[in-house]
Amino acid sequence: MENNRNWAGNYKYSASELHVPENVEQIQELVARSSRIKALGTRHSFNGIADCTESLLSLHKLNRVIELDHKRNKVTVEAGIRYGDLCDYLYGCGYALHNLASLPHITIAGACSTATHGSGDRNGNLATAVHSMEVVKADGERVVFSRDQQDGLLVGAVVGLGGLGVITQITLDVIPAFQMSQYVFDNLPLAQLNDHFDDIFSSAYSVSLFTDWKTDAFNQVWLKRKISDYYLAGEESEFYGAMHASVHRHPVPGHSAENCSEQFGIPGPWHERLPHFRMDFTPSAGEELQSEYFVPRHYAYQALCAIDRIRDYISPHLYVSEIRTIAEDNLWMSPCYKQDSVAIHFTWKADWIAVRKILPLIEEQIAPFRARPHWGKLFAMPPIHLQSLYEKLPYFQQLLLQCDPQGKFCNAFLKKYIKDGYL
């Protein structure tokens, strides 16, 4: 298989062939005749969650908007469409999604399947916007999971980790389009979160804190505010000890901000402010690794202080770390299941030998806070411990067997972390 690496270049897929079907019927035929097959999105996962020993199936050509339902405020799309492309369409029609990830270049299906998220106290991860989805099961037949169905299985299927089948269509909730502005502040002391955590993270629609862990402070605070929520504090020169940035910032200190979303409070469309980077900017490949852990919100300050204690081990190998809040959800395999969460993200330099030694140190520090790793990023957590963090895992295993009794969509990653009762 040509081009057999992921976006970052750190993972090499083991599949012998890559299929790029042009319609759902071709997907059904490919799935029905394959013994092992997995769907592939934009290859933005940093581990083997999307790998397969035989065939990979790219959704690259299934990238259309199928229907915009003005009465029900929903949009139906093919699963391979990227968020940036969908956002342009929605904005032109006067609609928006509730949130976006840092990068707008990822596919809808891949992001929802791994519980990818944005930021905001009241904003659930991207999968919480899914109203229904169509999946091609192992036998090649289509099945629909929907909130309208009484079986309630959509909450188990949405964050499906690629194990249920090939997602072909997704229907998302949409809201009226809105305008946003973005402000950046420099040098927020970590200690401010002890007394002002809720104040800081409720100060905008979406809030991100960035640090390189060289000191006990956050290098930058990014506040993304809806214009309708705008108030005079948006013009403040100081924010809980952090000072208004004098020039445009990139999250990584020392990097050019040319490709970042607009700052200094300049109003713009929601989809041009919620991501940190512009859609017309293609992220570089092969220059970073990523890890991320979710802790219950009430443990967030303690968890950050625990990481701060080992910052001397972390900082030499790190580009930047980002802290965001995510609202709780009821999706079985979501790291935010039944808990308002804080995500602690690490963007590492491309040195796996060093990172592999650091991850167990971080996980040891945050283990008392029941930290859950991001499914699509790098972690070292033992499978038995990871499984203990998901109370709905037995139900998810049953759903996998129902859709894929022979393990056609199973791979080494799912065998390792989902395990019991699943081939």
Side-chain angles (χ1 to χ4, degrees):
M1 186 181 100
E2 297 183 4
N3 190 21
N4 62 349
R5 290 191 177 272
N6 66 340
W7 170 83
N10 72 295
Y11 189 88
K12 183 179 180 180
Y13 297 106
S14 54
S16 58
E17 55 185 358
L18 173 66
H19 301 283
V20 188
E22 298 184 356
N23 53 54
V24 177
E25 290 73 24
Q26 290 179 8
I27 291 176
Q28 291 179 276
E29 191 274 329
L30 283 167
V31 168
R33 65 177 171 83
S34 298
S35 57
R36 286 287 189 273
I37 191 167
K38 293 287 288 186
L40 195 62
T42 48
R43 310 185 189 208
H44 201 262
S45 292
F46 290 79
N47 57 37
I49 192 170
D51 200 5
C52 182
T53 55
E54 295 184 19
S55 299
L56 287 173
L57 186 156
S58 171
L59 296 173
H60 174 70
K61 293 185 178 180
L62 276 77
N63 59 4
R64 299 174 303 144
V65 175
I66 296 173
E67 180 187 13
L68 179 60
D69 189 332
H70 296 273
K71 291 183 178 180
R72 302 175 67 220
N73 293 322
K74 302 189 187 307
V75 64
T76 300
V77 298
E78 292 181 321
I81 194 171
R82 299 185 303 170
Y83 274 97
D85 297 324
L86 174 59
C87 290
D88 284 339
Y89 169 83
L90 288 176
Y91 183 70
C93 297
Y95 288 97
L97 299 173
H98 80 287
N99 212 346
L100 293 171
S102 300
L103 291 175
H105 307 77
I106 54 179
T107 62
I108 308 289
C112 292
S113 294
T114 54
T116 295
H117 61 95
S119 180
D121 283 2
R122 300 179 181 179
N123 301 324
N125 65 40
L126 303 186
T128 60
V130 176
H131 179 85
S132 64
M133 66 181 196
E134 178 187 87
V135 178
V136 174
K137 299 188 301 176
D139 58 6
E141 296 300 313
R142 304 186 205 184
V143 62
V144 173
F145 297 94
S146 172
R147 283 193 218 140
D148 299 330
Q149 296 169 340
Q150 299 203 355
D151 60 19
L153 292 179
L154 178 69
V155 294
V158 174
V159 185
L161 311 180
L164 299 176
V166 179
I167 303 171
T168 53
Q169 288 186 19
I170 298 181
T171 298
L172 301 170
D173 294 331
V174 293
I175 59 178
F178 54 92
Q179 298 283 300
M180 300 193 78
S181 61
Q182 180 168 242
Y183 294 86
V184 177
F185 294 83
D186 294 334
N187 298 317
L188 174 74
L190 171 61
Q192 289 282 19
L193 270 64
N194 188 26
D195 296 323
H196 302 292
F197 187 95
D198 290 340
D199 297 325
I200 289 169
F201 279 98
S202 66
S203 64
Y205 187 86
S206 172
V207 177
S208 292
L209 309 185
F210 293 97
T211 178
D212 54 14
W213 290 110
K214 290 181 179 178
T215 67
D216 57 350
F218 297 98
N219 304 72
Q220 298 171 28
V221 180
W222 288 38
L223 306 178
K224 302 170 188 283
R225 290 173 172 152
K226 292 178 67 173
I227 298 299
S228 59
D229 296 338
Y230 180 79
Y231 55 96
L232 290 178
E235 300 286 359
E236 73 266 46
S237 60
E238 186 264 350
F239 181 81
Y240 295 95
M243 303 305 295
H244 198 291
S246 58
V247 297
H248 282 78
R249 297 292 190 213
H250 187 287
V252 180
H255 282 55
S256 170
E258 178 183 2
N259 296 310
C260 294
S261 50
E262 195 66 66
Q263 300 166 25
F264 284 103
I266 298 173
W270 59 279
H271 65 298
E272 294 180 2
R273 296 296 180 273
L274 280 172
H276 299 327
F277 300 97
R278 301 200 316 260
M279 181 60 185
D280 57 2
F281 159 61
T282 302
S284 59
E287 297 179 355
E288 66 185 55
L289 303 173
Q290 293 184 15
S291 302
E292 187 170 37
Y293 300 93
F294 300 77
V295 297
R297 184 185 176 104
H298 59 275
Y299 287 140
Y301 180 67
Q302 293 171 267
L304 290 168
C305 289
I307 293 172
D308 183 59
R309 288 194 288 270
I310 60 169
R311 67 172 187 253
D312 289 344
Y313 295 96
I314 295 172
S315 60
H317 307 287
L318 187 72
Y319 281 125
V320 73
S321 181
E322 181 179 10
I323 316 304
R324 291 175 285 180
T325 58
I326 310 100
E328 71 172 312
D329 58 57
N330 65 344
L331 310 179
W332 292 354
M333 301 306 292
S334 165
C336 302
Y337 178 74
K338 287 190 176 179
Q339 65 180 36
D340 288 328
S341 300
V342 173
I344 307 171
H345 183 277
F346 300 88
T347 299
W348 304 102
K349 298 174 183 177
D351 183 353
W352 175 232
I353 294 176
V355 172
R356 185 170 54 189
K357 295 177 182 178
I358 297 168
L359 294 182
L361 300 179
I362 294 174
E363 292 176 6
E364 180 181 9
Q365 291 295 315
I366 59 179
F369 313 115
R370 294 184 61 80
R372 298 167 176 168
H374 190 299
W375 290 109
K377 302 187 189 296
L378 298 170
F379 56 91
M381 194 173 292
I384 191 169
H385 178 65
L386 177 56
Q387 292 166 10
S388 72
L389 300 172
Y390 286 90
E391 64 179 85
K392 287 292 188 178
L393 179 61
Y395 298 91
F396 183 63
Q397 292 166 343
Q398 293 174 17
L399 183 58
L400 289 172
L401 287 170
Q402 177 182 322
C403 293
D404 184 21
Q406 303 303 316
K408 183 175 290 191
F409 301 106
C410 188
N411 60 7
F413 183 93
L414 292 178
K415 284 181 180 178
K416 183 175 182 178
Y417 294 108
I418 302 303
K419 198 178 176 181
D420 299 334
Y422 185 50
L423 296 174

